Amino acid sequence: MLRGTVRIDGRTSDRYPEGVAWDPTRRAFLVGSLATGRISVIGRDGVPHPFGVAPGVSTFGLHVDAVRNRVLVTYADIGNGERSSEATTYKQSGIAIYNLRTGQLEQRIDLNTPSLNPAGGHHGVNDLAIDAAGNAYITDPASDAIYKVTPTGVASVLIRDERLRSDTIGANGIVWHPAGYLLTVRYDTGTLFRISPRGELRATGLTSALVGGDGLALTRDGRLIAITNKLGAPGVEQATVLSSRDNYRTAQVRSVEPWPVAGPTTAAVTPYGTYVLSGRIDVLLAGGRSDQFTIRRMTR
C-alpha cells in the first residue's frame, strides 16, 4: 500500500525503466526496461521483483487490464538495449500480453509486418491505451501510424497521418477517454491530438504546446496529466494538468508542477495519488550508466 508514500527510490539491474503502470491486484507498480526489456514489480520499498520474461530488446508502455486479467506491454528496439543489433534496431516493434496473476507470456503480436507497414521504414512502438471493450491502441513515434489490436490479437492500422510523423519523435503518450476517443501527444511539437474510434484526427486547441510531451495519464475526474521532458526535444521537465469543457477539442492548463527529478517520462494514477517515473534515461543518453530510478507522487 502507498498511503503516505511521497517518493520511492530504488536500484535495478534492469536499468532505465521508461514506462510505469499501477497494478491494483498487487498494490504495486509495474515498470519496464530500456536496457534488458524485462518487467519488474516495484512496491513502496523500491525493491524490484521479476514479472514474466522479456518480450523484446526494450520495453516501454505498460497497461494493467485487471478486468481481463492481462498486462499489455510494448516492446521495441531504438538502439539502447543490451541486445540491440542491426537486425532489430527500429525494426522490432510489437506488444506482448501477459497473464496478470501468473506473469506468463500469453501472446506476442508483431506490429512491424508488411501488411501493416507496406512501405517499410523505421518503426518502434512506445505507449498504449485500452478502451472499455479491451481493444488496445498503440503509438509508433518512429512512424506516422497508430495501431489497433483487438482482444483476440488481431492487429490493424487505426490511422496513418502525416501530422503524426516526425524526423525525431512523433506521437508518444496515449490515453483512452471514457467518452469514447483517444488523446495522444506528439513529442517534438507538443501538439495534442484527439482521435475518434474511426481514426479521425484533429488537433486540440491549447494555449501553449506540450513540447517534449512523453507520457499521458487520465484521472477519474477527466483531468489529463502530461509529463514533459527534454530527453529528445527542447521541453521543460514538468507535470502539466489540463482539463476540458468540450471533450478535449480545446483544453485549459489547470496547474504546472516543475519536476525535481531529472528525466521524467510518464505517470501512473493510483488510489493514493498520481506517481511519475524517472528512470535515469537522461544519464543513458549522456553516455553514462545508472541503475537508479525514482517514482515520485505529484503534489497537486
Side-chain angles (χ1 to χ4, degrees):
M1 184 177 293
L2 290 176
R3 191 179 305 278
T5 303
V6 174
R7 175 170 173 154
I8 298 169
D9 289 294
R11 293 179 178 273
T12 175
S13 57
D14 298 313
R15 302 175 310 285
Y16 316 119
E18 194 269 354
V20 62
W22 172 250
D23 177 359
T25 67
R26 293 176 174 83
R27 296 185 179 181
F29 295 102
L30 297 181
V31 301
S33 167
L34 289 189
T36 68
R38 289 191 284 264
I39 304 158
S40 300
V41 180
I42 306 291
R44 64 184 299 172
D45 61 2
V47 176
H49 301 277
F51 178 92
V53 298
V57 172
S58 299
T59 43
F60 297 87
L62 303 96
H63 189 97
V64 174
D65 183 6
V67 173
R68 298 169 187 84
N69 191 39
R70 304 185 300 168
V71 177
L72 291 84
V73 181
T74 61
Y75 65 88
D77 182 5
I78 60 173
N80 294 320
E82 291 180 355
R83 294 177 290 132
S84 292
S85 69
E86 185 177 348
T88 56
T89 300
Y90 286 110
K91 296 172 185 174
Q92 184 181 90
S93 182
I95 67 166
I97 301 174
Y98 295 83
N99 182 291
L100 172 60
R101 183 178 60 83
T102 66
Q104 180 178 354
L105 177 61
E106 297 183 336
Q107 198 170 12
R108 191 172 178 270
I109 302 165
D110 187 359
L111 294 177
N112 187 19
T113 64
S115 61
L116 294 174
N117 298 302
H122 284 182
H123 293 280
V125 294
N126 183 276
D127 201 10
L128 75 157
I130 309 292
D131 69 15
N135 298 297
Y137 303 90
I138 304 102
T139 60
D140 186 350
S143 80
D144 59 352
I146 291 177
Y147 308 97
K148 177 181 179 179
V149 175
T150 68
T152 58
V154 178
S156 61
V157 175
L158 173 69
I159 181 172
R160 194 180 300 279
D161 194 295
E162 283 296 319
R163 288 173 289 176
L164 300 176
R165 184 186 296 278
S166 170
D167 292 333
T168 55
I169 305 173
N172 201 325
I174 190 168
V175 293
W176 172 261
H177 195 287
Y181 55 88
L182 295 157
L183 295 170
T184 190
V185 62
R186 180 169 153 173
Y187 182 88
D188 59 347
T189 64
T191 306
L192 184 67
F193 289 104
R194 184 184 190 273
I195 306 171
S196 77
R198 296 183 298 277
E200 299 160 337
L201 181 76
R202 63 174 294 169
T204 295
L206 298 174
T207 55
S208 59
L210 299 166
V211 176
D214 200 331
L216 298 178
L218 195 69
T219 64
R220 289 188 176 182
D221 61 3
R223 290 175 296 137
L224 181 68
I225 299 169
I227 306 302
T228 57
N229 57 49
K230 54 184 180 181
L231 295 173
V236 178
E237 296 184 323
Q238 62 188 27
T240 301
V241 180
L242 304 103
S243 64
S244 176
R245 294 183 291 271
D246 57 5
N247 271 316
Y248 284 93
R249 291 172 176 84
T250 62
Q252 299 75 44
V253 174
R254 293 306 178 197
S255 65
V256 175
E257 186 171 347
W259 208 249
V261 186
T265 51
T266 193
V269 177
T270 83
Y272 314 104
T274 299
Y275 287 77
V276 177
L277 170 67
S278 297
R280 303 303 189 268
I281 296 174
D282 55 312
V283 175
L284 171 67
L285 296 179
R289 183 183 175 91
S290 175
D291 63 358
Q292 299 177 336
F293 66 87
T294 297
I295 302 172
R296 184 180 183 275
R297 191 179 68 197
M298 291 178 58
T299 61
R300 303 171 187 175

